[in-house]
Amino acid sequence: MNLSPLLAKRYTAEQLSAKDAQRAAEFIAFGPIVFEVSRLMIQWGIFEMLRDGQLTPEEIADKAGISIYAAKCLLEASLTIGTVLVDPATERYSISKTGWFLQNDPATRVNIAFNHDVNYEGMFRLEEALRNGKPEGLKHFGPWPTVYEGLSSLPQAVRQSWFAFDHFYSDSAFGEALTIVFADKPKFLLDVGGNTGRWALQCVGYDPEVHVTIMDLPQQLHLMHENISGKKGADRIHGFGIDMLASESRFPAKQHYDVIWMSQFLDCFSEEEIVRILKRTAAIMDDKSKLFIMETLWDRQRYEPAAFCLTQISLYFTAIANGNSKMYHSDDLIRLIRQAGLEVTAIHDHLGQGHSMLECKI
């Protein structure tokens, strides 16, 4: 099993004393309450107040417009969570390092909104989803078989948090990815699962001659056309509607594509589905074509918190997205690529927020 050096150090030997392990176990047991308390400390501006100076519960209650009871409940819980500190002599609270990250770290803020708006209620059905291989937690949003069919119909706050989460992780890697993808100056690029067209816009902005075809669900293409309308280079972005899971679906073959691009795409499918998709990809490739697969592979992360986040995100796919996909280990993804008749010729690690890009040829 591949593990980056830091992950191997963390995950192959016990890290905690018995006392610390017991506390960690209780932290997990009260996890939903820990999450909601911390979310409210952000939403009601309490962390921000404490970042600017020490305050008493009464002062916080007044500034936040809540009761002293509510302020004390949140502060005392946050104290034991580890997000605030207290001066016993003055009974004034201040923010801790952990609280500072909750308040200020962009990735953490995106993750909190995503988990609250998209995942929280549906995770109650995680057990059913794992047993049935279906996104049972999606039911409280609508009757769709996967979240992708219902994305355009989700409540606005949910859709906003979903796209903010998706874009935050992908956008951070685009700059570095462009220099690799365009090294050989491709003229025609197929963007598989192109979503709202953010990558396609990056491509046509980077190279004034490239044409990009976005291949996605018809309802996603509608969102894509809305997003790119009126923007520079939009006339060189085209759409090709397809249901990737339909057995009769075929990739566009009339045009030769120098580059086929899949970003945060294959993690939306099961292993069997990935092999079928990659076989259809290989069918339209020749010896001059390159396939670039960009994913956040949990085992190749430079920092341990990233691996933690990614393995937890896998359960979003289980309970909400589709019931059968995950954030993959690189060994598994490379095995599936080879099963489809393709070969990984290079791996570019640590792009943006922990992305890896697998360069493949037939």
Side-chain angles (χ1 to χ4, degrees), residues 10 14-29 80:
R10 180 69 180 264
E14 180 62 69
Q15 303 293 308
L16 301 177
S17 67
K19 184 178 180 180
D20 289 338
Q22 184 183 31
R23 189 190 192 285
E26 293 293 2
F27 201 91
I28 292 168
T80 60

Side-chain angles (χ1 to χ4, degrees), residues 34-44 47 112-113 116:
V34 170
F35 177 84
E36 283 302 324
V37 166
S38 303
R39 185 184 68 83
L40 289 175
M41 292 287 283
I42 297 170
Q43 182 171 316
W44 289 353
F47 281 144
I112 286 174
H116 180 258

Side-chain angles (χ1 to χ4, degrees), residues 32-296:
I33 299 173
V34 170
F35 177 84
E36 283 302 324
V37 166
S38 303
R39 185 184 68 83
L40 289 175
M41 292 287 283
I42 297 170
Q43 182 171 316
W44 289 353
I46 300 175
F47 281 144
E48 188 173 8
M49 298 173 201
L50 295 175
R51 184 182 60 184
D52 297 333
Q54 294 183 334
L55 295 170
T56 65
E58 291 78 13
E59 290 169 333
I60 287 171
D62 181 62
K63 286 176 176 289
I66 59 177
S67 68
I68 295 175
Y69 164 80
K72 285 186 175 181
C73 282
L74 290 177
L75 287 167
E76 290 167 7
S78 297
L79 183 65
T80 60
I81 290 167
T83 55
V84 302
L85 302 169
V86 69
D87 181 343
T90 62
E91 297 187 15
R92 289 182 173 274
Y93 288 81
S94 59
I95 195 168
S96 72
K97 290 179 182 178
T98 301
W100 189 93
F101 276 102
L102 283 169
Q103 176 64 33
N104 296 291
D105 180 55
T108 303
R109 293 293 292 269
V110 165
N111 290 339
I112 286 174
F114 179 70
N115 281 318
H116 180 258
D117 293 330
V118 179
N119 293 334
Y120 200 91
E121 292 181 78
M123 281 297 159
F124 190 79
R125 295 182 175 270
L126 178 60
E127 181 177 358
E128 296 173 58
L130 285 167
R131 291 188 181 278
N132 300 337
K134 296 179 180 179
E136 304 291 0
L138 183 60
K139 290 177 179 177
H140 76 278
F141 286 133
W144 314 289
T146 73
V147 75
Y148 310 107
E149 284 90 343
L151 198 55
S152 60
S153 302
L154 290 174
Q156 183 177 356
V158 177
R159 191 165 66 248
Q160 182 176 338
S161 292
W162 192 95
F163 279 115
F165 177 85
D166 182 72
H167 294 160
F168 178 83
Y169 286 97
S170 62
D171 289 7
S172 68
F174 281 171
E176 294 168 279
L178 283 167
T179 60
I180 299 169
V181 170
F182 281 85
D184 295 330
K185 299 188 179 300
K187 298 302 179 188
F188 296 96
L189 186 148
L190 180 64
D191 183 358
V192 184
N195 211 320
T196 58
R198 291 171 75 90
W199 166 254
L201 285 170
Q202 293 275 333
C203 291
V204 296
Y206 188 85
D207 188 318
E209 296 183 6
V210 71
H211 283 257
V212 180
T213 298
I214 294 177
M215 191 167 72
D216 214 322
L217 291 165
Q219 54 267 46
Q220 284 300 106
L221 293 181
H222 177 72
L223 292 174
M224 178 272 290
H225 285 299
E226 284 186 348
N227 185 54
I228 69 170
S229 179
K231 294 179 180 176
K232 185 178 179 180
D235 58 315
R236 289 181 282 122
I237 299 175
H238 319 284
F240 185 88
I242 185 174
D243 179 355
M244 305 289 179
L245 297 180
S247 59
E248 69 277 6
S249 295
R250 294 292 179 268
F251 286 22
K254 292 182 180 179
Q255 171 66 57
H256 171 270
Y257 292 100
D258 306 298
V259 164
I260 301 173
W261 170 259
M262 298 178 180
S263 174
Q264 294 184 181
F265 172 72
L266 293 181
D267 55 40
C268 300
F269 300 93
S270 69
E271 290 197 3
E272 295 78 10
E273 291 163 348
I274 288 173
V275 173
R276 290 199 295 270
I277 289 169
L278 291 179
K279 282 183 176 179
R280 280 180 275 174
T281 306
I284 66 166
M285 293 175 65
D286 57 30
D287 58 0
K288 296 181 180 179
S289 306
K290 286 185 178 181
L291 166 65
F292 291 95
I293 299 171
M294 191 164 76
E295 291 285 349
T296 42

